[in-house]
Amino acid sequence: DFNLADFDYLPVSSEIKELFEYIKRYTPKTIEIEHKLQPFIPDFIPAVGDIDAFLKVPRPDGKPDNLGLLVLDEPSTKQSDPTVLSLWLTENSKQHNVTQQIKVKSLENAEENSKAIESWIESISELHRCKPPATVHYTRPMPDIETLMQEWSPEFEELLGKVGLPTAEMSCDLAEYIDMICAILDIPVYKSRIQPLHVLFSLYSEFKNSQHFKPLADGKKGRSPPSNPPSQAADAEVLSF
């Protein structure tokens, strides 16, 4: 299909035009390459742990995740330390007052196993680095938690008994609902609602973990009433909160 006349218009020298003649002179040779089929067997790589039984926890949205079919589902070669993981869960859940037995890990011939000691120190250091600060500094003045936990006036208690606290079923957006709850609890709301919400949740946590209000909040479930029942004012505080 190659024709030299198709390239006569090119402004090239005679030497270059002679090179085009070699295109017609060349005849490609057909070379048959010997081959043989050989099955490819990859090296055996043992799985980590037991054989996958395909017992998976389904996704909450109902979509298939194809674990073990399209994506390899095997545990990591670097397993977590159960003690460190328990400390992480305790720190993230803020349940420091929960009494539980934690198995203390020990090392035999610790002087010969420096990697395990360094890994433990690194894990605990990472836990302390990710801890939230013990105190939060507010940009605007906020009332003290102890002040917010003081007893309300009898008139306000009587009014709450008749009207009740606003519920989430009210026809308002989230910002207006936050403003109403903070106004009832005497928490000032400024331009940003993040810090008032922090005070609100701190107040709720203080009530929940209080040694005085916790038995009242649990609601006498299956227990005999105490010999010295709390005052009605304390009951009203828990119910109104």
Side-chain angles (χ1 to χ4, degrees), residues 20-199:
F20 283 96
E21 296 179 359
Y22 287 97
I23 300 177
K24 297 290 291 182
R25 296 175 185 173
Y26 175 74
T27 303
K29 297 181 181 180
T30 304
I31 302 175
E32 294 185 1
I33 301 176
E34 296 183 0
H35 63 278
K36 61 179 179 178
L37 296 177
Q38 185 175 5
F40 173 71
I41 302 177
D43 295 334
F44 175 72
I45 302 176
V48 180
D50 298 332
I51 300 174
D52 193 356
F54 292 95
L55 302 176
K56 315 294 181 185
V57 178
R59 288 176 44 161
D61 53 4
K63 295 181 179 180
D65 48 12
N66 296 320
L67 281 179
L69 298 175
L70 300 179
V71 182
L72 187 63
D73 181 30
E74 289 185 356
S76 175
T77 54
K78 185 179 180 181
Q79 296 292 317
S80 302
D81 191 339
T83 306
V84 177
L85 182 60
S86 178
L87 293 175
W88 272 102
L89 295 177
T90 302
E91 187 62 36
N92 292 334
S93 61
K94 307 297 181 183
Q95 297 180 358
H96 300 284
N97 56 350
V98 177
T99 304
Q100 59 178 352
Q101 294 182 354
I102 300 178
K103 186 177 180 180
V104 180
K105 184 178 179 181
S106 60
L107 290 176
E108 295 182 0
N109 300 324
E111 65 278 1
E112 299 178 359
N113 197 355
S114 59
K115 291 184 178 180
I117 299 176
E118 293 175 358
S119 176
W120 171 263
I121 296 175
E122 183 180 353
S123 302
I124 299 301
S125 301
E126 181 68 20
L127 174 63
H128 290 304
R129 277 196 301 268
C130 297
K131 268 187 176 181
T135 57
V136 177
H137 300 282
Y138 301 114
T139 56
R140 297 292 186 90
M142 288 290 178
D144 189 39
I145 298 298
E146 295 294 334
T147 305
L148 297 175
M149 293 181 67
Q150 296 300 320
E151 182 180 355
W152 283 336
S153 62
E155 295 81 5
F156 192 67
E157 295 282 354
E158 183 180 356
L159 179 61
L160 281 180
K162 297 178 181 179
V163 179
L165 290 172
T167 64
E169 298 177 356
M170 295 184 61
S171 179
C172 63
D173 56 8
L174 181 60
E176 294 176 353
Y177 186 71
I178 292 172
D179 294 342
M180 285 188 292
I181 296 298
C182 290
I184 294 174
L185 299 176
D186 292 335
I187 300 176
V189 178
Y190 300 103
K191 186 176 180 180
S192 175
R193 295 178 178 84
I194 297 178
Q195 295 182 4
L197 281 176
H198 184 272
V199 177

